[in-house]
Amino acid sequence: MIRSPRGVEDILPSQVSQYQWIEKEASSLFSLYGYEEVRTPIFERAELFLRSLGEETDAGKQMYIFQDKKGRRLALRPEATAPVVRAYLQHNLYGKTREWRVYYLGSMFRYERPQAGRYREFRQIGIEAIGEGSPYLDVEIIEMAHQFFKRVGLDKVELQLNSIGCRKCRPFYEEKLKEYLKKNMDRLCPTCQRRYQYNVLRVLDCKNENCQLVIREAPWIGEYLCEDCSSHFQSVKEGLKALGIKFQINPHLVRGLDYYTRTIFEIISPVLGAQNAICSGGRYDDLIEELGGPSVPAMGFAMGVERVLLALREEKKGIPYKRLPLIYIATLGREGWRAGYELANLLRLKEIRVQLNTSKRKLSSQLSFAAKRGIRWVMILGEEEVKKRRVILRDMNSGTQKELEWEKLEENIEEIKS
Ligand code: HAM
């Protein structure tokens, strides 16, 4: 048997309805805030991600890169911020409106070590707001993520916040951090010794116990922010407080992607294990320029749909369940099937989900099929019923049944629906 590759999974029908529910909640919420959906390609030129995420970052290294038949280097998208920015530039939206607010839903691909909550194909729902540099936008974006979790009923989430400054002040902090880490190099894990070279901020994110001890004493970026970054961060904190949104400042919060500036945040679900970030984002005020565009500030976030569903399950929150057929129509003989076909169409016109028997099996085996599928109502149409223009309606829960006239079905349908 050929199995699916490691780290990618089928989403079976009973789960699809959960994804659809999350997607519906997100898109209706985001459109209330003025965001429109955008769909970018599943693969892009690899260079787009190598330049934006950073070749040496985890996300940069975890890319699925391949060559097409003409030898072009392409990559399955590991995230969607860079593609959204590319689309913004490619379609000259800067010239048209400058501001662009979009959301997206879809699969992302990263060659990670799979574990609970970490996959090689996973789905993100995210938003990007391009064109506004004011801290009011940061507050609104974080509030929108907060609203989303309220909407789907995840109560236990925690918001962590930090500012990582800008290209003016961050290099100075990085120097200070490097100075400190250099003195403690032998206590750092091999990964952090490499991070020291190419992305020193990522050392702050290490979970290794020894590194944690070193990090605890490390200088804080908050003390090195320039005046502009500092007052921006202050406004974000005040704005969130004014809206009653609780947050924790985590001075060691950094992000795995290179493009961030100023405000960054993560929403954590404490009911999950190691992979507990269900939503992450921040400002990326330099990315558009770095990708060849004008200097335009921007901010966004993305949440991992699988992790949101895991958290809901852990919190034992009801997730709307499968969209099973409401009625199964069991038929006997050719006339029974023809009448069943007519009846099914009638019910489907009334938006009722119906599965019609398409087999030549006996009635008992059709009934046991409906029971196994968990369908509550069965309509039975044998030759006798067809002649009398009647149908037997069986309630599979109680095992009771009654005969109905076709002409009077409408009254009973309302009862079944409710
Ligand atoms: P990210 O932190 O790399 O940020 O991913 C966002 C979210 O995707 C994470 O918080 C997590 O819930 C989920 N996620 C990431 N990797 C995996 C995985 N291997 N398996 C399952 N879920 C995963 C970004 O992608 C940025 N583009 C977010 C952003 C938008 N920043 C600004 N705008």
Side-chain angles (χ1 to χ4, degrees), residues 120-180:
R120 290 182 174 170
E121 180 188 11
F122 57 97
R123 280 118 210 118
Q124 276 189 351
I125 300 182
I127 64 110
E128 309 296 342
I130 301 180
E132 180 56 70
S134 134
Y136 295 146
L137 177 71
D138 308 33
V139 175
E140 190 193 64
I141 284 182
I142 295 172
E143 191 264 341
M144 190 160 77
H146 183 76
Q147 282 293 347
F148 172 79
F149 291 114
K150 243 167 87 178
R151 209 176 226 237
V152 297
L154 266 187
D155 302 328
K156 299 203 178 108
V157 296
E158 292 165 12
L159 167 63
Q160 300 204 345
L161 198 65
N162 196 15
S163 171
I164 52 164
C166 64
R167 52 186 167 194
K168 254 190 345 208
C169 54
R170 198 186 320 152
F172 186 58
Y173 169 69
E174 283 174 346
E175 268 317 300
K176 290 282 162 204
L177 183 61
K178 274 192 158 175
E179 253 173 48
Y180 167 78

Side-chain angles (χ1 to χ4, degrees), residues 304-346:
V305 181
E306 283 76 10
R307 292 190 193 174
V308 172
L309 288 171
L310 277 175
L312 281 164
R313 245 169 264 146
E314 283 298 316
E315 280 201 32
K316 306 221 170 4
K317 287 290 155 65
I319 301 174
Y321 227 60
K322 359 184 194 186
R323 286 168 61 81
L324 273 180
L326 197 60
I327 300 174
Y328 181 84
I329 302 182
T331 64
L332 292 169
R334 190 197 300 193
E335 289 313 310
W337 188 80
R338 281 202 185 140
Y341 181 77
E342 206 181 309
L343 182 58
N345 273 345
L346 200 96

Side-chain angles (χ1 to χ4, degrees), residues 173-396:
Y173 169 69
E174 283 174 346
E175 268 317 300
K176 290 282 162 204
L177 183 61
K178 274 192 158 175
E179 253 173 48
Y180 167 78
L181 292 176
K182 198 169 181 180
K183 287 186 236 145
N184 295 282
M185 193 62 89
D186 50 340
R187 292 164 66 199
L188 295 179
C189 72
T191 314
C192 282
Q193 292 187 0
R194 266 194 306 117
R195 284 174 175 157
Y196 175 88
Q197 299 295 339
Y198 66 77
N199 188 352
V200 68
L201 284 189
R202 289 283 286 160
V203 173
L204 299 177
D205 203 23
C206 186
K207 303 283 180 288
N208 177 298
E209 267 176 41
N210 287 333
C211 296
Q212 279 292 324
L213 291 176
V214 177
I215 294 160
R216 216 171 286 163
E217 307 294 321
W220 290 19
I221 190 153
E223 291 164 8
Y224 294 86
L225 295 180
C226 62
E227 231 176 274
D228 284 350
C229 287
S230 181
S231 89
H232 184 102
F233 196 37
Q234 191 56 30
S235 305
V236 174
K237 291 186 277 188
E238 284 167 10
L240 290 173
K241 273 189 202 145
L243 298 183
I245 296 174
K246 291 202 185 88
F247 59 86
Q248 272 177 321
I249 301 293
N250 177 353
H252 294 150
L253 179 66
V254 285
R255 308 275 301 115
L257 314 166
D258 260 2
Y259 50 62
Y260 288 106
T261 50
R262 293 194 165 171
T263 317
I264 54 168
F265 70 97
E266 250 175 32
I267 297 181
I268 305 288
S269 165
V271 298
L272 294 181
Q275 304 305 318
N276 60 1
I278 53 176
C279 175
S280 345
R283 277 209 161 269
Y284 48 94
D285 290 343
D286 299 332
L287 181 61
I288 296 159
E289 203 177 352
E290 277 161 18
L291 289 176
S295 169
V296 186
M299 180 165 176
F301 66 72
M303 50 201 173
V305 181
E306 283 76 10
R307 292 190 193 174
V308 172
L309 288 171
L310 277 175
L312 281 164
R313 245 169 264 146
E314 283 298 316
E315 280 201 32
K316 306 221 170 4
K317 287 290 155 65
I319 301 174
Y321 227 60
K322 359 184 194 186
R323 286 168 61 81
L324 273 180
L326 197 60
I327 300 174
Y328 181 84
I329 302 182
T331 64
L332 292 169
R334 190 197 300 193
E335 289 313 310
W337 188 80
R338 281 202 185 140
Y341 181 77
E342 206 181 309
L343 182 58
N345 273 345
L346 200 96
L347 294 167
R348 286 174 189 145
L349 279 174
K350 298 198 176 301
E351 299 288 311
I352 296 180
R353 296 185 301 276
V354 178
Q355 182 172 345
L356 172 64
N357 167 52
T358 46
S359 76
K360 290 187 172 170
R361 281 187 302 225
K362 288 189 301 202
L363 179 63
S364 57
S365 107
Q366 293 185 43
L367 289 179
S368 86
F369 171 79
K372 272 191 213 144
R373 274 213 76 185
I375 302 176
R376 163 120 190 237
W377 303 96
V378 176
M379 286 184 170
I380 304 167
L381 278 166
E383 312 234 328
E384 202 47 37
E385 284 76 34
V386 176
K387 263 190 231 150
K388 292 194 282 182
R389 290 208 50 91
R390 284 175 162 259
V391 61
I392 297 170
L393 177 68
R394 186 180 171 90
D395 180 347
M396 300 294 281

Side-chain angles (χ1 to χ4, degrees), residues 39-187:
R39 298 184 185 192
T40 62
I42 299 286
F43 62 87
E44 297 267 359
R45 288 177 192 273
E47 193 196 346
L48 172 69
F49 299 112
L50 294 171
R51 267 172 61 185
S52 54
L53 311 184
E55 210 154 332
E56 287 297 335
T57 59
D58 294 344
K61 287 193 170 147
Q62 288 159 348
M63 265 199 289
Y64 280 92
I65 297 186
F66 58 98
Q67 285 199 346
D68 71 4
K69 292 192 175 167
K70 288 247 168 89
R72 300 178 192 100
R73 271 181 102 206
L74 302 172
L76 292 183
R77 60 178 185 195
E79 60 104 51
T81 307
V84 166
V85 168
R86 181 206 40 74
Y88 175 79
L89 294 175
Q90 188 169 329
H91 302 283
N92 189 24
L93 295 165
Y94 174 74
K96 288 180 189 138
T97 55
R98 182 181 149 100
E99 277 219 13
W100 204 37
R101 297 197 175 193
V102 288
Y103 70 88
Y104 47 84
L105 329 146
S107 285
M108 309 293 153
F109 304 86
R110 296 183 193 175
Y111 191 82
E112 302 210 61
R113 202 161 348 116
Q115 64 179 87
R118 191 163 73 188
Y119 314 99
R120 290 182 174 170
E121 180 188 11
F122 57 97
R123 280 118 210 118
Q124 276 189 351
I125 300 182
I127 64 110
E128 309 296 342
I130 301 180
E132 180 56 70
S134 134
Y136 295 146
L137 177 71
D138 308 33
V139 175
E140 190 193 64
I141 284 182
I142 295 172
E143 191 264 341
M144 190 160 77
H146 183 76
Q147 282 293 347
F148 172 79
F149 291 114
K150 243 167 87 178
R151 209 176 226 237
V152 297
L154 266 187
D155 302 328
K156 299 203 178 108
V157 296
E158 292 165 12
L159 167 63
Q160 300 204 345
L161 198 65
N162 196 15
S163 171
I164 52 164
C166 64
R167 52 186 167 194
K168 254 190 345 208
C169 54
R170 198 186 320 152
F172 186 58
Y173 169 69
E174 283 174 346
E175 268 317 300
K176 290 282 162 204
L177 183 61
K178 274 192 158 175
E179 253 173 48
Y180 167 78
L181 292 176
K182 198 169 181 180
K183 287 186 236 145
N184 295 282
M185 193 62 89
D186 50 340
R187 292 164 66 199

